[in-house]
Amino acid sequence: MASAVRTTLQHRVWRWHFFAGLLVIPFAVILAVTGAIYLFKPQFDAAVEARINSRAAPLAGDILPADALLEAALAAYPGASLGKVLMPAAASDPTLEFELRGEAGPRTLWVDRGTGEVLHSVATPDRFMNFVKRIHGTLLAGDRGSLVVEIMASWMIILIVTGVYLWWPRAAAWWRVFVPKFGKGPGRRETWRKVHGMGGAWIGGVVLAILFFGLPWTQVWGDGFNKAKDLAGLKAPGQEWFVTLESGNPYTDHSMHDMHADVDHGTGAELWDQGKASNEVGVQSASAGAGAAAPLSLQAVLDVAAPDRYVAPVEVQPPRGENGVWTIRSMAASRPDRITVHHDRWTGAELMRIEFTDHNSVDRFMALGVAFHEGALFGWLNQAVGVIATLGVILLSVTGAVMWWRRRPKGRLGTPPMPADKRLAAGVVVLILALCLFLPMAGVTLLAALVIDLLISAGQRFRGAPV
């Protein structure tokens, strides 16, 4: 009895493993194409910036203060407020880039530093690379789309691991996994199978690394990862440092930066953006910053955030609330170069500095992996590796689809038979179940598929139809 149940379970898991492969194919291609495009975001953004800067007047003489440029930007988007400023990459940069937030959503504007003219304005989500990122991360479907992406990425990991396991030669030299013998077999279908297996062997490890280091962005796995770190006592710097992020008015608050404030979990120190608002500073002072003292001007803050003090790109975020803090953040592609600094809005005094080394070792490791996922860990070579990996995913998707199409009986899905070697089949099932424990959304979808499969089979038996 137990043997029959085990055999039935293996058969059903094997069948749904095959169905998952079919379902993953279109999503794998979408993720590969959008990922390959997004690898070149730095070059694309630089080209856009250069095109806009070419329309600016040559910098000569005095440059308008940043506060006047902000007024020009706000005039072009009535009712909006400052979200952030992107610092010029060099002193000779003729424009200043603002992101404003209004009822119509965030908008990015480029203002001529010499004349105050708004040279270009675009809805921030509509910027090409932001659009590509939304497809890659959410399929343009918000949180639901993000869950679909997580499910598909999880099954891609399972398919690669089990695919290499099935492809690994057991009666030949190990290197045949990378260089199989062609010219033998029943025909073209065998050739497609060998190309598929060889492709997975060559790029499987790189694709697995890219997929794994994309998991921190996901909803379920990413949230679980953060909770596991909390349980292990691996906290973010903003939680570890008992330092207030309040700004105290020197004329009304002589205690200045007293040590009683709660530090928000999101101190702007995250090493990767999870697409949530938690990376913005939301701490306010217990006492209002009213009185004779005037807060720092935007220009004064930008002088503090001089480009030579941080690795570009550098973002400057304004205080939130009447007594919040200014935040200067280097968003350098190289994670070790990233710095987040919070400044008092009244005096400009530095309240907190969070550098790469202040993060725990797990976050530092994952941050380097995220940079690899983005193609930003080791320059153009990382981008080239990313392109090769995405092309490999497309190759696996195409060859897998062709193999299925050639094998399937007319009018049927054509589930491939289980391997004759029962130990091989059992190994695949064990791998799938073990990976489903590590990848919860894969586990949930597999469980749901098995339940549906059992219900359908029970219904067919009840009607006397063949199962």
Side-chain angles (χ1 to χ4, degrees), residues 375-390:
L377 186 60
F378 42 87
W380 66 266
L381 184 58
N382 196 165
Q383 291 177 317
V385 170
V387 170
I388 292 171
T390 56

Side-chain angles (χ1 to χ4, degrees), residues 95-323:
T95 62
L96 194 59
E97 182 179 334
F98 296 94
E99 183 177 297
L100 305 183
R101 295 175 182 172
E103 292 184 359
R107 194 165 193 86
T108 304
L109 302 93
W110 288 262
V111 184
D112 190 316
R113 296 172 67 196
T115 66
E117 178 187 359
V118 176
L119 299 177
H120 189 67
S121 174
V122 62
T124 304
D126 293 341
R127 296 183 67 177
F128 177 70
M129 282 298 176
N130 288 343
F131 178 70
V132 171
K133 183 179 180 180
R134 283 164 53 215
I135 298 175
H136 188 75
T138 69
L139 302 174
L140 303 181
D143 288 343
R144 291 182 180 178
S146 177
L147 283 175
V148 173
V149 170
E150 180 174 357
I151 291 169
M152 296 304 161
S154 298
W155 275 105
M156 285 172 66
I157 292 174
I158 292 174
L159 290 167
I160 291 173
V161 171
T162 55
V164 172
Y165 173 77
L166 287 169
W167 175 248
W168 197 268
R170 289 164 177 82
W174 65 268
W175 53 268
R176 281 297 182 188
V177 71
F178 300 104
V179 188
K181 289 183 179 180
F182 287 93
K184 293 183 179 181
R188 292 184 179 179
R189 193 176 74 187
E190 182 66 13
T191 300
W192 283 106
R193 188 185 75 85
K194 290 181 177 179
V195 170
H196 183 82
M198 182 179 65
W202 277 102
I203 57 91
V206 176
V207 174
L208 281 176
I210 291 174
L211 289 169
F212 173 74
F213 288 118
L215 292 176
W217 280 303
T218 60
Q219 291 188 60
V220 177
W221 196 96
D223 186 58
F225 176 62
N226 289 332
K227 289 179 179 178
K229 287 190 299 179
D230 290 341
L231 289 174
L234 299 172
K235 297 182 179 297
Q239 297 170 293
E240 294 171 351
W241 295 7
F242 192 65
V243 179
T244 176
L245 292 187
E246 297 175 357
S247 292
N249 188 315
Y251 290 86
T252 60
D253 183 7
H254 297 289
S255 64
M256 288 293 288
H257 314 304
D258 56 358
M259 303 293 287
H260 70 271
D262 291 329
V263 178
D264 195 341
H265 179 82
T267 60
E270 285 88 346
L271 290 171
W272 58 85
D273 177 19
Q274 291 184 301
K276 302 176 183 177
S278 63
N279 65 330
E280 297 177 4
V281 178
V283 181
Q284 296 183 10
S285 171
S287 60
L296 291 176
S297 67
L298 176 59
Q299 184 59 56
V301 176
L302 296 191
D303 289 341
V304 173
D308 59 343
R309 298 180 184 177
Y310 300 89
V311 178
V314 179
E315 297 178 352
V316 178
Q317 292 184 351
R320 293 177 61 186
E322 295 182 358
N323 211 36

